[in-house]
Amino acid sequence: MSALQLRLVLETADLDAALAFYRDTLGLPELESYEGEGGARVAILGVPTATLELANAAQVAMIDDVEVGRAVAHPFPLRVRVAFEVQDAAATTTTLVDAGAVPVAPPTRTPWNSLNARIEGPDGMQLTAFQELAPALTGSAKVRGSAYSRRRERCG
């Protein structure tokens, strides 16, 4: 058995604002969208290797009803963030902030040699826009005062 697709479902209080941010500003194409009873709405946005599903509370409740027959979805108590690989982390961050995102941290070079910027999107979801700079560094490096060690292994 193998999974065929990862679908991340993000409940949002303002689906139109989320669409404006993820679809119109970040550039994720809208693959499908549906409306149902009780104001349920969902838009499925594509990423080359995944999809991001933005659903309002009515849609989340409707999915529970269809899949389980009752309300079972609950907030996830641990931290979650979504990372998007982009061609230019600095330019993407500027574009997203100009569209209303809140900057959390500027583009920062990581020990694994990517440029990562942290922002907060609609409804407070933290996002990382990352740009791969070159092959990853090996060995130990300092990350904001703590030791970080990463070994890159290649197959074949």
Side-chain angles (χ1 to χ4, degrees), residues 12-136:
T12 177
D14 188 341
L15 187 60
D16 292 323
L19 283 169
F21 183 79
Y22 290 102
R23 181 192 60 203
D24 302 338
T25 304
L26 190 56
L28 302 181
E30 187 172 318
L31 302 177
E32 303 171 52
S33 63
Y34 303 96
E35 294 186 9
E37 294 180 23
R41 291 178 57 208
V42 63
I44 299 172
L45 308 181
V47 178
T49 58
T51 64
L52 175 62
E53 187 172 325
L54 303 171
N56 66 9
Q59 177 70 19
V60 170
M62 192 267 290
I63 292 169
D64 273 359
D65 188 53
V66 168
E67 293 178 353
V68 183
R70 60 187 167 77
V72 296
H74 56 83
F76 185 68
L78 302 176
R79 290 175 281 239
V80 175
R81 83 179 155 77
V82 178
F84 293 98
E85 182 178 4
V86 298
Q87 290 184 348
D88 185 332
T92 298
T93 300
T94 298
T95 299
L96 295 175
V97 168
D98 288 348
V102 176
V104 176
T108 303
R109 189 177 198 133
T110 68
W112 44 95
N113 213 24
S114 64
L115 192 62
N116 293 20
R118 184 74 63 94
I119 59 166
E120 200 166 282
D123 288 339
M125 175 58 70
Q126 286 209 356
L127 308 169
T128 296
F130 72 95
Q131 173 186 346
E132 297 294 353
L133 298 174

